[in-house]
Amino acid sequence: SATRERNGLRRTLVVTQVALSLVLLVAALLFSRSLQKLLGINLGFDSRDVLVATVTPTGSNFDNAEKRKALSRELEERIHSIGEVTSSAPTAFAPFSGYGWNGPVHADNDPARTGGKNSWFNRAGPGYFATMGTPLLAGRDFNAHEDVGAPKVALVNQSFAKQFFAGKNPVGRSFRIEELAGKPDSVYEIVGLVGNTTYNDLKEPEPSIAFFPTAQDDQPGTDSTFVIRGRASLESLETAIQHEVT
């Protein structure tokens, strides 16, 4: 008994509902596929059971670089001595921290003074790659003797080797980073090759990365960051680390 106008409105509402439902269904399917694709990305490290701890000291006791470096060394020793900790290492910043550092790089056979290809950088202490589960493919890890007074060294990933050394084993080769005007370029000897890892973006395809020893940083920031792998729960590890920091 409905009027023609009321039937027309009803048909319009049904068509609109079906159209919106189809749009939502397609959007949900696309989201699911994107999520599945992101979850399938090889990060290059194993994040399970890894805790990231960042300490920011304040006050006059830590007002210069040497005091902050001494604190970082003591924290590293204390964290490593915790019974539940299986491995730990300092780093400039952990993956997906939101921080980044990059610059133009030249291989040792590149005579050009400017116009180098861009690469990402990070700093890491001995044991960082073992803690993160990133494979060491050639050469060696950093050691405790590589401080500011020692020759500058680096570990690079496979993408770095491909970009600057045609994919050949780069151990024993060197590269330099373009510095600001008036400052000589920094030259590093490559002592190790590691597997590819993500940096700050899951969608970035195998970025080129060079790692430098944290102990060779002559201008350390105020923060000390550590990656820690343990046999206990993350909550238990966090409590133990907070105790050592206090």
Side-chain angles (χ1 to χ4, degrees):
S1 62
T3 64
R4 183 180 298 176
E5 290 80 6
R6 199 175 285 176
N7 277 328
L9 178 60
R10 199 172 285 157
R11 282 195 295 271
T12 300
L13 288 173
V14 169
V15 169
T16 303
Q17 281 183 317
V18 171
L20 288 174
S21 297
L22 284 172
V23 169
L24 289 172
L25 180 61
V26 170
L29 288 171
L30 289 174
F31 176 78
S32 298
R33 289 182 64 183
S34 297
L35 181 60
Q36 188 176 25
K37 193 173 180 180
L38 287 174
L39 290 173
I41 291 175
N42 179 17
L43 301 177
F45 55 84
D46 182 6
S47 61
R48 293 171 299 179
D49 301 321
V50 173
L51 182 70
V52 177
T54 299
V55 180
T56 305
T58 57
S60 58
N61 288 335
F62 310 107
D63 58 2
N64 63 57
E66 286 306 314
K67 291 178 179 179
R68 291 194 296 271
K69 287 174 75 171
L71 171 69
S72 184
R73 286 193 297 269
E74 184 175 353
L75 283 173
E76 184 179 357
E77 292 171 2
R78 283 174 172 266
I79 290 171
H80 199 68
S81 68
I82 296 172
E84 296 89 347
V85 171
T86 56
S87 63
S88 63
T91 182
F93 32 80
F96 308 117
S97 65
Y99 295 100
W101 171 29
N102 59 12
V105 170
H106 297 266
D108 50 13
N109 58 357
D110 182 4
R113 304 308 304 173
T114 59
K117 297 176 182 177
N118 191 67
S119 176
W120 291 101
F121 309 130
N122 198 355
R123 290 194 181 274
Y128 172 81
F129 301 102
T131 301
M132 295 300 293
T134 299
L136 179 65
L137 304 176
R140 63 171 178 84
D141 195 358
F142 298 131
N143 61 52
H145 304 293
E146 283 158 344
D147 54 18
V148 290
K152 292 182 177 180
V153 295
L155 275 84
V156 302
N157 71 350
Q158 292 168 292
S159 290
F160 188 101
K162 182 178 180 181
Q163 184 173 11
F164 297 100
F165 300 101
K168 297 178 181 178
N169 185 349
V171 175
R173 301 286 297 272
S174 64
F175 65 92
R176 57 186 170 85
I177 299 175
E178 288 182 33
E179 300 290 356
L180 298 175
K183 187 178 179 181
D185 289 353
S186 297
V187 179
Y188 298 86
E189 179 189 353
I190 299 171
V191 297
L193 173 70
V194 296
N196 284 336
T197 65
T198 50
Y199 194 80
N200 259 336
D201 187 352
L202 276 174
K203 298 178 182 179
E204 186 176 13
E206 300 184 334
S208 167
I209 311 173
F211 298 86
F212 313 114
T214 51
Q216 288 193 337
D217 187 1
D218 55 358
Q219 294 181 324
T222 55
D223 294 348
S224 294
T225 297
F226 303 90
V227 290
I228 304 132
R229 184 178 293 277
R231 60 176 63 90
S233 68
L234 294 183
E235 291 79 8
S236 177
L237 275 179
E238 184 177 354
T239 300
I241 291 163
Q242 286 177 338
H243 178 267
E244 293 301 331
V245 172
T246 301

